[in-house]
Amino acid sequence: DAGVIQSPRHEVTEMGQEVTLRCKPISGHDYLFWYRQTMMRGLELLIYFNNNVPIDDSGMPEDRFSAKMPNASFSTLKIQPSEPRDSAVYFCASSSFGLIGELFFGEGSRLTVL
Amino acid sequence: GIQVEQSPPDLILQEGANSTLRCNFSDSVNNLQWFHQNPWGQLINLFYIPSGTKQNGRLSATTVATERYSLLYISSSQTTDSGVYFCAVGGSGSRLTFGEGTQLTVNP
C-alpha cells in the first residue's frame, strides 16, 4: 500500500489567503485524523472522521478551519482566511480500528503564512 | 484526560551505545504507540504495544500496563536513529494523547 498521501508537502501563502490541504488515507482504513504540530503545542488532534462522517471536531481552533471527507479516499482541511499563527505542519493519519487502532501518518504539509 | 510523561527529554549518544526511553501514563490504556519523527519531519510507527513486549531489529518495547509505563530500547544506536521519539496513549473511547517526546541525537 502507498500509505497516507498528503499534498501539498509545502505551502507558503500570504495572510488572508485560503489554504486547502489534501489527504488520501490508506485504502480500507475507515478512520481519518487531522493533526497539527507546532513547537509550542506539540501534536494536536484537530478533527477525526469515521466512515466519512466527522465524529469529533472539538480540536478545530476556530471557524476559519473546516474539514470535509466527501468519500472514503479523500479529505480536505481548509483554512480561510489564513493567519500567520496558522503556520505549522499539518498531518493526516488513518486507522482501521478507530481510537484503539494503530495510527499511520502521512508525511505532513508544512504551511507558512506570511 | 490521560497524562503522558516521557523521559529523558533529551539524550545524546555515541554511535553504538544502547539507550532506554521511558513513557509514564496516568490511567489505564487500550492503545499505546511509539513513533519516531526523523529529522525530515516524518512520523514513523515503531510499535503498537498497549501491553507486552515486541522486538523489531535493534529496537524493542515493553509496556507494563498495570504499572502504567512503557519502555523503548534502542541497541547499538546509529546516526539514523536521531530524531524525536513520541509515546502516544489512549484510554477507553478517548483520543490518543502524545507525550512531549525524547529528542535523541546519535553522534558518529
Side-chain angles (χ1 to χ4, degrees):
Chain A
D1 202 313
V4 177
I5 300 172
Q6 292 187 244
S7 65
R9 292 292 312 281
H10 302 274
E11 173 98 3
V12 180
T13 191
E14 293 188 345
M15 184 173 63
Q17 296 300 303
E18 178 178 290
V19 173
T20 300
L21 307 177
R22 298 172 178 79
C23 175
K24 175 179 167 55
I26 292 172
S27 178
H29 283 193
D30 52 3
Y31 284 82
L32 183 141
F33 303 79
W34 282 100
Y35 283 85
R36 178 172 69 175
Q37 186 178 35
T38 60
M39 290 293 292
M40 292 297 293
R41 300 173 67 91
L43 272 159
E44 309 173 83
L45 177 64
L46 301 178
I47 185 171
Y48 76 92
F49 295 82
N50 178 27
N51 290 322
N52 315 334
V53 177
I55 302 300
D56 184 351
D57 66 355
S58 59
M60 296 285 264
E62 46 197 282
D63 291 347
R64 297 184 297 105
F65 286 69
S66 63
K68 293 182 180 179
M69 192 165 186
N71 58 62
S73 59
F74 183 67
S75 177
T76 59
L77 178 68
K78 189 171 291 187
I79 308 172
Q80 166 64 20
S82 58
E83 296 183 3
R85 60 195 168 115
D86 302 330
S87 298
V89 181
Y90 291 82
F91 287 99
C92 177
S94 70
S95 166
S96 57
F97 289 100
L99 295 175
I100 67 170
E102 190 171 5
L103 201 60
F104 295 87
F105 283 88
E107 294 188 329
S109 294
R110 181 176 294 276
L111 173 65
T112 302
V113 183
L114 303 174
Chain B
I2 295 178
Q3 306 300 312
V4 183
E5 184 176 321
Q6 291 187 242
S7 60
D10 297 278
L11 185 59
I12 300 175
L13 302 174
Q14 284 299 123
E15 204 167 22
N18 302 328
S19 63
T20 301
L21 281 58
R22 187 177 180 101
C23 173
N24 292 333
F25 43 93
S26 61
D27 206 343
S28 58
V29 298
N30 55 16
N31 190 344
L32 190 147
Q33 296 178 50
W34 284 97
F35 296 91
H36 174 215
Q37 187 164 36
N38 64 24
W40 294 270
Q42 293 176 301
L43 276 163
I44 299 164
N45 295 50
L46 296 178
F47 295 102
Y48 172 75
I49 188 166
S51 64
T53 297
K54 290 185 178 179
Q55 179 153 8
N56 184 3
R58 296 181 296 103
L59 273 60
S60 64
T62 295
T63 296
V64 184
T66 53
E67 297 188 20
R68 300 182 182 168
Y69 72 89
S70 182
L71 302 174
L72 178 68
Y73 306 95
I74 304 174
S75 64
S76 303
S77 59
Q78 301 176 358
T79 56
T80 51
D81 295 330
S82 296
V84 182
Y85 290 80
F86 289 103
C87 169
V89 303
S92 177
S94 67
R95 59 181 64 186
L96 279 182
T97 298
F98 282 77
E100 295 193 349
T102 292
Q103 173 77 57
L104 175 65
T105 302
V106 182
N107 292 320

